[in-house]
Amino acid sequence: MVINGDSNLNMGEKELKVKNTKVLDFFNAMKYGENIENLNKANDWLKSKNNTFFTYVEKSGEPPNGSPTILHNHINHEELCKIYVPEIDTIKKILMRSNEKSQWLDVTPTERRNILIKLSSEIEKNVDLFTQIEIMSRGILGSDTKKWVMTLFAEYFLYYAYCISSTQKNPRRKPEGIAVGVFSNKNSLSNLSLFLAPALSAGYNVLLQVGTELAPAAFLLQDIARSVGIHEDAFRLIPSDDYELLPYLSSEKVAILALFIDLQNEKCRGFNSYHKKIVNFTTLKTPTIIFDDADLDSACESLIEASWSYQSLLPWSTNTVLVQENVLSTFLNKFKPKLRSLKVGPANDKFTDIAHRDETTTNTLSSLIDLAKAQGIETFKADENCDTWSPTLFIGGKVQANNVLSSTCEEGNELTVLAFRSIEEAVNLANNTRQGMAACVWSENIGVVNEVARKLNVGNVWVNSFGTFSPEVAICPQKDSGIGYFGGIEGLLEYISYSRYSPAITKVEPEQKSDVAINSIIVSAKKSQAIWSRQSNFEKRKIFQQFADYLDAQQQSLNGISSDWILSAIATIQDSSTGTYKDRVSLAQTYNLTSVRLPRGVISVDVSESNNIALILTCLNSGNAVILSCQQGVHFNVLKKLSSLLPTGVLNVLPYNVDNAKAIARNKLVAVHFGNDQDSVFEFMSVYDSKVFMEVTDDMEDIYNKVTVLKNVWYDSGKSSNCN
């Protein structure tokens, strides 16, 4: 052991120095040797693939096709491998040949289950290999991959293996076509299983497009899948950094698109003219709120991991921390020394706390620091003397500080620290972002926690912790973080086809309302929905029971309405009053979880679904406001009656018109649009805009999932000390 600065002292001086040195000083001055990750497994596997990856058209063994992209090793910057990106025409050929030779659905459910169980087991056996590949291809610390990703990666396949039997209970639930998943390089490995596991469980052949940096790990997964019995045609893989979606959107073979990309990214191109089902999961940065009664030391440690672990690519990575004003100085006095003590180094060094960032990230950081200083925003860099990347804080400023530093701050590796005074201010700051995936709350006051968790517009709230997930718990991202369900049984249902509810409709074209009039109706509906959603279930049930009594009393005189429609309406009202769907509370060893259902907001229902009374009543009973485009006739008048029983603006019954439908679809306040009018309404909308379109069936489980969003509140259960 050598004490820093002691090399020029003689023996007597050294003995005196040691005698007068405190143990803590002595410890802090210690130097450690290197502890480097062994990357032999990854190097051997890459050599076995000739350091070359590409997708084939007819069969494996073909020569590489497409344009080669050189992927460099993040450790020594030498060439790691070549990845051939196929042309669009090649992708079209692959899609044309999908399902022709082998269909995964033809494998018996029992065998599919056993294969997915084997796949989960083999992933666990190859943790070191996945870890080493991530070190070299994406510069991710081995400890981060093992801690945050690999367990979930394997568990999703195991969970959905056990769910296969549930797909056989309803004969209408049968895959049609193939499922395509598109992933950018900003995804964690575990995100791959959020798509692959439920799609394979449901019986789909799958096609996976991944970014070139993520490609080596994805090709390893494909190798393992083949080794356990998944036919090569059942799992195809395309490496590409382009998000040109037209080949998938236009292919009749594609049934569902799972997009793990930012739909507002300029690379994302294509129109959903062919009406593909779309689910979306976008990795955007999340906020953390720290109140004055929080355990600040634990919050600081958690923030370091939440901000910079796994190259900041985790779905819950943080880049904004909101600290109550009266403890801001105390928090910074604790946080800054912790950042200074961190070792930033290469991803293969086991003593590294945070892995190096690439040159582009370093240059972006320098530009952001200059811009922040020019605007009077305080900056703190953990290592001010280095020219490379180092953990950095932007301190102070108004809420615009999240965006004023440039749009890259929403995806960057820097942490913005803002002060707040009240709960309302904290919530408003946290909600003022595109993301709706998650937020962390640090407080010992259960009343404050409950209030903040209820007001945050996100799908997951972690209390005094972060990043807790379980395969059996569905994730339902909000706002630009995505649409649909991921994980849980709800995630499986996204990949299951139902028989459509398709009543015969003869469309009428009355005089249309102007966009101004339509927008006014929607604004009114939005205001009414905020009030309606706070009504107690008891008050809602009283109103719906009045409607049921009306239908029962008038059914003999309601010529033109089938008895099945009336019975369905009454049955739906009775089901809702018995509390068929309840919030879920579960306990686990490390957390308590409360999952609650919340309304989506303003929902549009077009003429093709205007007779789907189960959909309409479930929308309303869940606290949504409804804009209903309906034919003139008996149903129109009956639904007008229901509208009159509800608070003004909660149910708006309008005569159907294509122009009205387009005006409704264009309005950003509409959360979801149900119907099959996509050819005229959504034909020329971008994928981002058309994602609000959903088809729905007469299956109550399907309806309920689509008219609500799921919020999970994860409470750290803690661990009490033993008492004698």
Side-chain angles (χ1 to χ4, degrees), residues 382-664:
D383 187 350
E384 297 179 353
N385 298 319
C386 74
D387 296 328
T388 57
W389 183 90
S390 180
T392 302
L393 306 179
F394 296 111
I395 304 168
K398 299 180 180 179
V399 64
Q400 288 84 358
N402 287 333
N403 301 315
V404 78
L405 300 174
S406 87
S407 59
T408 59
C409 233
E410 198 158 90
E411 301 177 351
N413 298 297
E414 299 72 43
L415 192 62
T416 297
V417 182
L418 302 174
F420 69 88
R421 294 181 180 179
S422 65
I423 289 176
E424 288 298 327
E425 185 180 7
V427 170
N428 289 337
L429 288 168
N431 284 337
N432 189 26
T433 175
R434 290 174 56 208
Q435 82 87 29
M437 170 64 185
C440 297
V441 179
W442 286 83
S443 174
E444 300 299 318
N445 187 323
I446 190 64
V448 168
V449 166
N450 287 337
E451 180 179 354
V452 174
R454 185 178 68 251
K455 292 179 177 179
L456 287 170
N457 297 330
V458 295
N460 295 274
V461 179
W462 291 296
V463 179
N464 297 333
S465 61
F466 83 101
T468 304
F469 281 118
S470 172
E472 62 185 345
V473 179
I475 304 165
C476 185
Q478 301 180 32
K479 297 191 287 188
D480 283 357
S481 286
I483 190 164
Y485 292 91
F486 302 87
I489 194 65
E490 295 90 343
L492 176 61
L493 295 179
E494 294 285 7
Y495 295 86
I496 290 175
S497 300
Y498 293 83
S499 299
R500 288 274 300 127
Y501 178 94
S502 301
I505 293 294
T506 303
K507 296 184 179 180
V508 182
E509 296 289 339
E511 182 180 354
Q512 70 265 25
K513 294 179 179 290
S514 68
D515 281 16
V516 173
I518 290 293
N519 292 339
S520 177
I521 291 171
I522 295 173
V523 169
S524 175
K526 183 67 175 177
K527 293 178 180 177
S528 300
Q529 186 271 328
I531 300 171
W532 173 244
S533 64
R534 294 195 292 269
Q535 286 265 40
S536 68
N537 288 333
F538 181 69
E539 292 297 326
K540 291 176 186 173
R541 289 167 188 164
K542 287 196 297 184
I543 294 174
F544 291 124
Q545 189 57 49
Q546 291 180 52
F547 184 56
D549 293 342
Y550 163 78
L551 291 176
D552 188 46
Q554 300 293 324
Q555 60 178 306
Q556 299 301 324
S557 61
L558 294 175
N559 296 325
I561 297 183
S562 69
S563 58
D564 288 344
W565 190 93
I566 294 174
L567 291 175
S568 175
I570 295 173
T572 302
I573 292 169
Q574 291 173 344
D575 286 345
S576 65
S577 66
T578 58
T580 304
Y581 301 102
K582 295 182 179 179
D583 298 337
R584 295 174 297 176
V585 179
S586 61
L587 304 176
Q589 190 172 10
T590 57
Y591 62 85
N592 297 343
L593 169 68
T594 301
S595 296
V596 296
R597 289 282 179 178
L598 301 173
R600 286 190 180 270
V602 178
I603 293 178
S604 165
V605 180
D606 84 3
V607 63
S608 63
E609 294 291 350
S610 61
N611 289 355
N612 191 339
I613 190 62
L615 168 63
I616 296 166
L617 290 174
T618 306
C619 282
L620 295 168
N621 192 58
S622 301
N624 299 286
V626 175
I627 310 292
L628 180 62
S629 299
C630 190
Q631 297 183 102
Q632 298 278 13
V634 182
H635 285 91
F636 185 91
N637 296 329
V638 169
L639 293 168
K640 276 285 192 180
K641 172 63 177 179
L642 175 58
S643 176
S644 69
L645 296 173
L646 295 163
T648 302
V650 172
L651 175 59
N652 304 270
V653 185
L654 307 178
Y656 175 80
N657 178 274
V658 171
D659 290 323
N660 290 349
K662 290 181 178 179
I664 293 169

Side-chain angles (χ1 to χ4, degrees), residues 259-265 279-285 410-411 431 433-438 457-459 476-484 486 668 687-689 691-692:
L259 304 176
F260 288 73
I261 57 179
D262 185 353
L263 298 185
Q264 290 202 39
N265 190 303
V279 293
N280 175 229
F281 187 104
T282 302
T283 299
L284 297 173
K285 294 298 186 279
E410 198 158 90
E411 301 177 351
N431 284 337
T433 175
R434 290 174 56 208
Q435 82 87 29
M437 170 64 185
N457 297 330
V458 295
C476 185
Q478 301 180 32
K479 297 191 287 188
D480 283 357
S481 286
I483 190 164
F486 302 87
K668 300 300 183 184
V687 172
Y688 174 78
D689 291 322
K691 70 177 184 175
V692 301

Side-chain angles (χ1 to χ4, degrees), residues 14-46:
K14 287 183 179 179
E15 290 177 354
L16 182 63
K17 174 81 173 178
V18 170
K19 187 179 294 185
N20 294 328
T21 299
K22 295 180 181 179
V23 174
L24 180 61
D25 295 336
F26 195 60
F27 177 79
N28 289 336
M30 294 173 64
K31 290 183 177 180
Y32 299 91
E34 291 184 330
N35 189 3
I36 302 301
E37 295 269 7
N38 187 327
L39 303 178
N40 289 340
K41 286 185 178 180
N43 283 317
D44 290 343
W45 180 77
L46 288 167

Side-chain angles (χ1 to χ4, degrees), residues 335-355:
F335 196 41
K336 289 179 180 179
K338 290 181 183 292
L339 295 184
R340 290 193 183 100
S341 68
L342 296 174
K343 179 180 179 179
V344 178
N348 65 331
D349 186 346
K350 293 183 179 180
F351 289 147
T352 292
D353 297 303
I354 300 174

